Amino acid sequence: MKNIKCDCGHVNPEGTVLCEACGKPIESNQHIDGNEKNKLLNMRYEGSARRSKTYNRTIVDKIWMFFSSVKVGVWLIILTLIASALGTLFPQEMYIPPAVDPAEHYRDEYGIIGQIYYQLGFHNLYSSWWYMLLVASIGVSLVICSIDRVVPLYRALKKQRPKRNSVFIKRQRYFAKTQDVSKQDVEKVVSQLKKKNYKIREEQGHILAEKGRFSRWGPYVNHIGLIIILIAALLRAHPFFFVEDYVWVREGETKIIPQTDQQYYIKNNDFIFEVYDENDERYGEAIEKTGEMIPSNFQTNAEIFKVKGEPLPGQDPELVKVNEGAIQVNKPLKVNDLAIYQSSYQLNEFQSMSFKLHLRDDENEESLGEFTFNMNDPKSEYDLGNGYRVVVDEYYPEFYMDDGVPDSKSKYPKDPAFIFFVYGPDIEEYEVNFLAVGTNLNPTEDNKYKLSITGVDMRDVTGLTLKRDHTLPLFMIGAIIFMIGVVQGMYWYHRRIWIHPKDGELWIAGHTNKNWYGLKRDLEKVLEDTKVEMPQDQQELK
Amino acid sequence: MAKNKKQKRLIFRSVILLILIGAVVFALVTNLKKEEEVVAVGEQAPPFELKQVNVDGEQTLNLHEDFEGKGVMLNFWATYCDPCKEEMPYMQSLYPKYKEKGVEILAVSVDATELVINNWISKNELTFPIVHDQKGAVMDAYDVFNLPSTFFINPDGTVERKVDGALTLDKLDGYLEEIVPESEK
């Protein structure tokens, strides 16, 4: 490593552009920040040695150098943006119908572009390894870029001396020379600076007035916040920190709570759906305007059980109640750290249906026997008394016609249909009754008897979301630190004013990281009523 | 001194890079693990015990106890699943042959009621054991989402093969052959 010794005696690390102590441009390194002779100095990072630009030996250094480039960081962000945008071109795989083959689906729905989209793996873009690697690289770039800049910057600001090299002073943006300035005037300027909360340091008559150095750390504080947010996002991949699942529970049903290793069950005792009262004068007008009912409450009264012992899956577990209560929107019920939220519902699923048998041509439909078909626990045969019985030949919970053949779409009794065989002492073999909701589709017209629905019992279904999220506090902390960094960098300014006696003249230079107008006003105020010349903006003079 | 400083920097950079690489690897691994199947090929099939439907009286079937040392074809199905119903006759036609060779066929119905299962069984004259997973506990343990889903389990209890979707007669024959116990080959 080749250190550079400046004329002022300070030893700078290799790659330094402006001497850390006195600010003198180091001849051989001016190309790094693009400084040109006699023009203003580039004050970026105080002209400190960003080491990444100077060392490139071991593999570690090479990787470090790659990620420490802001250019690389910007490209990573651009690539991620482009990839993220492409991912929204067509639906991701999780949003296409579950039963179809994705290879065919993308080709058939979106043509050749869809096929390319699928083959490139864009249908699972956001969980693909290369996309995650891209996002992770942004994080790596953020960390290394920050370290690589904050350390030298800190060094340079700490090592700076009040006595600066004349070249440094002359090549600042705000600069002026004044002949024959009295000592009193200098003292006046210093006391004015103190009044404006500048910190004053002096070295052999050279004065450095500085304030708001704190502002320079804003971007790095901000990056720490971002990194914490990235870490939080990373942890979401792990079920210990983040879990989300869904479960439908019917009224009266006890169901396994997913994501609990079959250790917990939930029972839906009642689902409550309430609407605002249209007769209430407070709501009446609004309800009339929308023309429909407005829900006021979705609620599941639930009980939560823990499994006792370690039964095998499928064995009837012994359950111990551990919690009960009402689940309402935004008011979850907890199982350990798993919160159960109200999130959806289905009203009026069939629970049971009652039937009666009567003579087909009896207008009064006088009952000859009744039975109730319980959808949860149906029997294969019902005895109606007096020698009449009904055999359940087929039961379709969610009835539909599949090419002329009756079938069921699901196991849920949303639209049940039945084929009953009626046996009786005066029936030769049996009579077929085909019942669906609202109809009795008798296949034969010569039935003597008929089954009719006399009543139904309905139940509701509640849809519950399960959520565990230990990453939220981390997101919160990250966001707060992010904001602190933004405020720190935005609302404070790092201003420096140098007073530099030189050959009987008084040189004054000023620098700020932002808000040059504010610095100008500070200077005007400070130099008021003195003979010292107001510095000119040399950038404007050009 | 300069050398010492350089070494320090190398160590510092290496440590930071290692931490970052660690974080990236953690992210990738946990994400890929998520997509991994709960019951993967080569792993032990989770044990379970369910009520048998097509048998007189109350009887349960325990996967590991009742079929110890046998190859087991574990088929998840339901009466409302058309492709499931299509492959059932294939299973029935191969059942007697493989039962002799020490391979059992076990169908797990995830229907809501025994009534519909029994209706289907009696109309299709199925003789291999059929159990009822009314609460979906076994379906959950095997992480089955779409029907039909079939696991071919070796006599030692490890999963030999997992098939999502319907099977043809030829494929079924070949897959059953794979799980015949050594002693019967």
Side-chain angles (χ1 to χ4, degrees):
Chain A
M1 174 154 126
K2 230 174 64 207
N3 288 329
I4 302 158
K5 192 167 178 181
C6 178
D7 295 342
C8 70
H10 182 73
V11 179
N12 292 291
E14 190 183 334
T16 304
V17 183
L18 305 173
C19 171
E20 290 173 328
C22 75
K24 186 185 175 194
I26 285 152
E27 206 61 56
S28 56
N29 285 338
Q30 292 312 296
H31 61 279
I32 295 176
D33 279 344
N35 285 331
E36 283 173 56
K37 253 209 156 92
N38 303 324
K39 291 220 174 130
L40 293 185
L41 288 174
N42 187 342
M43 288 290 283
R44 193 164 50 172
Y45 309 111
E46 299 292 298
S48 60
R50 276 90 79 205
R51 283 163 178 151
S52 55
K53 297 208 164 175
T54 61
Y55 286 100
N56 183 13
R57 301 250 171 83
T58 63
I59 181 81
V60 169
D61 286 332
K62 276 185 183 152
I63 296 171
W64 190 273
M65 195 188 90
F66 176 76
F67 282 112
S68 77
S69 159
V70 171
K71 214 190 248 173
V72 168
V74 170
W75 270 110
L76 286 171
I77 292 170
I78 291 172
L79 283 177
T80 310
L81 280 177
I82 293 171
S84 306
L86 284 176
T88 63
L89 207 56
F90 301 127
Q92 291 286 295
E93 193 186 15
M94 63 174 125
Y95 299 116
I96 68 170
V100 301
D101 179 11
E104 285 170 23
H105 178 82
Y106 283 100
R107 192 189 55 218
D108 296 348
E109 288 282 314
Y110 310 110
I112 182 77
I113 300 172
Q115 197 175 353
I116 295 168
Y117 187 85
Y118 172 77
Q119 276 164 355
L120 289 177
F122 281 30
H123 63 300
N124 267 326
L125 183 106
Y126 303 108
S127 54
S128 70
W129 63 269
W130 61 268
Y131 183 81
M132 285 192 285
L133 215 57
L134 223 62
V135 175
S137 302
I138 293 176
V140 172
S141 159
L142 199 63
V143 172
I144 293 182
C145 278
S146 300
I147 292 175
D148 223 44
R149 280 162 182 76
V150 75
V151 173
L153 178 65
Y154 176 79
R155 252 180 76 103
L157 287 175
K158 203 178 155 87
K159 295 244 159 97
Q160 64 174 336
R161 282 205 214 136
K163 188 182 175 184
R164 287 262 145 171
N165 188 280
S166 302
V167 177
F168 177 86
I169 299 291
K170 201 160 62 184
R171 288 171 71 184
Q172 291 301 315
R173 187 166 154 185
Y174 276 16
F175 174 69
K177 298 175 184 179
T178 319
Q179 304 270 351
D180 304 320
V181 180
S182 67
K183 226 177 175 176
Q184 285 80 4
D185 272 359
V186 174
E187 271 164 21
K188 198 169 182 180
V189 170
V190 170
S191 80
Q192 291 280 13
L193 282 167
K194 277 185 182 154
K195 248 187 227 160
K196 285 205 147 287
N197 289 326
Y198 279 85
K199 281 191 198 104
I200 310 291
R201 283 163 64 202
E202 201 184 332
E203 185 189 359
Q204 298 163 13
H206 297 258
I207 292 160
L208 164 62
E210 183 179 17
K211 84 178 197 189
R213 193 193 283 184
F214 161 79
S215 158
R216 297 293 287 267
W217 315 128
Y220 307 102
V221 171
N222 177 287
H223 283 182
I224 291 169
L226 273 182
I227 290 160
I228 292 173
I229 289 170
L230 268 176
I231 290 171
L234 208 89
L235 292 177
R236 274 195 162 216
H238 201 276
F240 176 81
F241 291 99
F242 182 80
V243 151
E244 202 173 39
D245 213 325
Y246 202 86
V247 63
W248 287 104
V249 195
R250 296 174 152 71
E251 276 176 341
E253 192 183 24
T254 305
K255 222 170 178 180
I256 294 169
I257 304 178
Q259 307 288 348
T260 61
D261 282 329
Q262 309 205 352
Q263 286 301 297
Y264 289 92
Y265 280 71
I266 185 164
K267 185 176 180 204
N268 175 0
N269 284 325
D270 192 11
F271 177 77
I272 298 162
F273 174 82
E274 287 168 326
V275 293
Y276 285 101
D277 182 4
E278 56 189 324
N279 297 321
D280 190 320
E281 56 182 60
R282 283 177 298 172
Y283 312 128
E285 203 184 330
I287 292 169
E288 206 170 302
K289 237 186 231 167
T290 54
E292 55 189 53
M293 301 293 233
I294 300 167
S296 63
N297 186 26
F298 304 98
Q299 176 178 333
T300 306
N301 291 339
E303 284 175 83
I304 290 168
F305 303 93
K306 186 174 177 10
V307 171
K308 213 176 160 189
E310 284 175 29
L312 290 180
Q315 282 177 333
D316 253 344
E318 198 181 322
L319 298 175
V320 187
K321 187 155 90 179
V322 289
N323 199 358
E324 70 179 315
I327 303 171
Q328 289 174 305
V329 176
N330 290 333
K331 285 180 196 152
L333 198 62
K334 292 249 178 159
V335 194
N336 297 334
D337 58 355
L338 205 61
I340 305 172
Y341 288 92
Q342 183 66 53
S343 108
S344 189
Y345 67 97
Q346 295 165 29
L347 295 180
N348 301 334
E349 200 176 271
F350 290 91
Q351 168 137 290
S352 69
M353 266 185 175
S354 301
F355 302 89
K356 68 174 177 189
L357 187 71
H358 58 87
L359 283 167
R360 196 160 79 100
D361 44 15
D362 179 4
E363 270 179 37
N364 296 324
E365 300 191 346
E366 199 184 317
S367 170
L368 302 169
E370 293 181 2
F371 72 97
T372 298
F373 187 94
N374 183 345
M375 314 281 173
N376 293 326
D377 186 22
K379 306 269 180 293
S380 56
E381 198 178 311
Y382 294 90
D383 191 357
L384 305 188
N386 300 325
Y388 292 99
R389 66 194 170 93
V390 170
V391 168
V392 183
D393 177 59
E394 287 288 1
Y395 156 50
Y396 307 105
E398 194 178 356
F399 167 70
Y400 79 115
M401 291 302 278
D402 181 14
D403 280 337
V405 183
D407 208 340
S408 183
K409 270 186 221 167
S410 80
K411 62 179 170 183
Y412 304 115
K414 291 177 181 164
D415 187 11
F418 312 85
I419 297 176
F420 291 130
F421 292 168
V422 182
Y423 294 83
D426 54 350
I427 299 171
E428 201 169 307
E429 200 177 357
Y430 55 79
E431 287 185 358
V432 178
N433 276 256
F434 188 178
L435 283 101
V437 178
T439 47
N440 185 337
L441 317 150
N442 274 356
T444 49
E445 282 303 310
D446 51 358
N447 275 0
K448 190 175 173 194
Y449 295 98
K450 189 179 169 186
L451 281 167
S452 295
I453 297 166
T454 56
V456 291
D457 257 346
M458 300 294 214
R459 66 178 172 189
D460 302 328
V461 190
T462 186
L464 303 170
T465 296
L466 301 135
K467 206 162 186 177
R468 170 196 300 145
D469 193 347
H470 292 316
T471 61
L472 279 182
L474 212 53
F475 275 110
M476 192 67 102
I477 292 167
I480 289 170
I481 293 176
F482 180 96
M483 274 319 289
I484 290 173
V486 170
V487 169
Q488 192 177 342
M490 295 280 276
Y491 294 99
W492 276 269
Y493 314 105
H494 182 217
R495 291 174 184 163
R496 276 174 295 174
I497 295 164
W498 292 276
I499 299 175
H500 188 83
K502 170 93 176 167
D503 304 334
E505 293 177 333
L506 191 72
W507 291 13
I508 284 205
H511 181 262
T512 182
N513 64 333
K514 52 171 70 85
N515 188 4
W516 290 83
Y517 178 72
L519 177 68
K520 192 176 160 195
R521 288 199 33 186
D522 270 8
L523 280 166
E524 277 167 0
K525 193 93 191 155
V526 160
L527 301 179
E528 227 171 44
D529 303 328
T530 66
K531 270 185 68 197
V532 184
E533 198 111 351
M534 176 64 197
Q536 297 296 309
D537 188 340
Q538 300 201 82
Q539 193 165 295
E540 276 174 16
L541 284 179
K542 243 189 303 175
Chain B
M1 195 202 131
K3 204 169 180 187
N4 192 8
K5 226 172 160 186
K6 204 177 136 194
Q7 209 166 17
K8 251 192 196 161
R9 177 163 52 240
L10 184 66
I11 291 167
F12 174 75
R13 288 184 176 180
S14 305
V15 168
I16 297 281
L17 279 179
L18 276 176
I19 293 170
L20 291 173
I21 290 167
V24 173
V25 169
F26 167 84
L28 286 176
V29 167
T30 43
N31 262 296
L32 293 178
K33 239 187 178 169
K34 246 197 213 164
E35 283 157 31
E36 218 172 68
E37 285 152 339
V38 173
V39 182
V41 169
E43 277 177 28
Q44 278 286 323
F48 64 83
E49 189 176 289
L50 285 172
K51 184 169 179 267
Q52 190 172 348
V53 181
N54 53 344
V55 74
D56 290 332
E58 291 269 320
Q59 196 173 321
T60 57
L61 256 177
N62 185 308
L63 176 70
H64 286 348
E65 285 170 18
D66 292 322
F67 296 144
E68 206 184 345
K70 287 183 178 178
V72 181
M73 172 194 170
L74 188 63
N75 175 261
F76 288 87
W77 72 289
T79 56
Y80 52 85
C81 155
D82 286 334
C84 304
K85 290 190 279 190
E86 275 164 31
E87 63 185 11
M88 283 269 161
Y90 305 149
M91 286 154 65
Q92 182 57 46
S93 69
L94 293 172
Y95 178 60
K97 172 178 151 195
Y98 281 98
K99 190 174 171 60
E100 264 179 32
K101 288 178 153 190
V103 174
E104 273 292 344
I105 291 178
L106 177 59
V108 179
S109 164
V110 300
D111 276 288
T113 58
E114 258 180 60
L115 175 72
V116 291
I117 310 172
N118 276 322
N119 278 341
W120 168 258
I121 294 171
S122 58
K123 275 171 197 166
N124 291 275
E125 292 167 354
L126 304 175
T127 57
F128 52 84
I130 292 173
V131 290
H132 184 202
D133 186 19
Q134 202 216 355
K135 289 206 165 93
V138 178
M139 197 182 178
D140 182 74
Y142 277 77
D143 201 32
V144 170
F145 276 101
N146 296 316
L147 297 174
S149 193
T150 312
F151 294 81
F152 292 88
I153 303 167
N154 285 315
D156 66 358
T158 57
V159 176
E160 170 71 28
R161 184 182 287 280
K162 191 190 164 194
V163 180
D164 285 316
L167 286 156
T168 61
L169 186 60
D170 277 353
K171 277 188 182 164
L172 184 58
D173 200 6
Y175 296 160
L176 284 170
E177 195 63 50
E178 289 174 353
I179 54 172
V180 172
E182 282 303 321
S183 53
E184 305 285 338
K185 270 182 185 166

